[in-house]
Structure formats: C-alpha cells, structure tokens
C-alpha cells in the first residue's frame, strides 16, 4: 500500500496523499492482480462495500492502475467479483 503509513495525528499528511486520486481502482479475484494501491482507496472500497449486497462474503483484491474516471462506478466494479 502507498500513501502512508499514517497515525491519527498525521491527518493533514493523509489528505495530501501521493496518488492524488489519479489512478483508477481495479478489482480482481484469486490473487491475479499485481500492483500497489492507495490507503485512501482501500478505505473507500471498504465503505462502498457496505452499499452493495453482492459484496457480502466475497473476497477480492484491489490495485490502482490506469486513468481514473471522474466518477467511480462501484456497482460495475463490484459486479466483477460475483
């Protein structure tokens, strides 16, 4: 993981994370992905999982790769794991 590690007193540093949200979130299963991911995107994925039933009892991997879209289509991303 990149953009860290941080502790609770490093909030200002965390908000200036290195990826600047420029790389897309890529989801895969079965340990097929190889790359790095932002701690911020890991947190975002954890929160977004709460909104989609198809993520219940599912394991998956994430990395950051490629150009990030303006709006992330979480349902489309999560549909890749079911």
């Amino acid at each position: 993981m990149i953009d860290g590690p941080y502790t609770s007193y490093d909030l200002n540093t965390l908000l200036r994370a290195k990826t600047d949200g420029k790389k897309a979130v890529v989801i895969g299963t079965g340990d097929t992905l190889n790359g790095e991911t932002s701690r911020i995107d890991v947190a975002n994925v954890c929160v977004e999982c709460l909104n989609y039933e198809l993520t219940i009892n599912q394991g998956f991997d994430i990395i950051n790769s490629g150009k990030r879209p303006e709006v992330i289509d979480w349902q489309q991303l999560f549909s890749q794991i079911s």
Side-chain angles (χ1 to χ4, degrees), residues 26-68:
V26 177
I27 292 182
T29 58
D31 290 329
T32 57
L33 299 177
N34 187 15
E36 298 177 328
T37 189
S38 163
R39 282 171 161 60
I40 293 171
D41 282 329
V42 170
N44 285 335
V45 167
C46 290
V47 170
E48 289 297 331
C49 281
L50 300 173
N51 297 312
Y52 297 92
E53 286 189 25
L54 57 103
T55 61
I56 295 173
N57 295 323
Q58 298 293 321
F60 55 91
D61 310 310
I62 69 168
I63 63 169
N64 289 112
S65 181
K67 185 176 178 190
R68 188 180 196 101

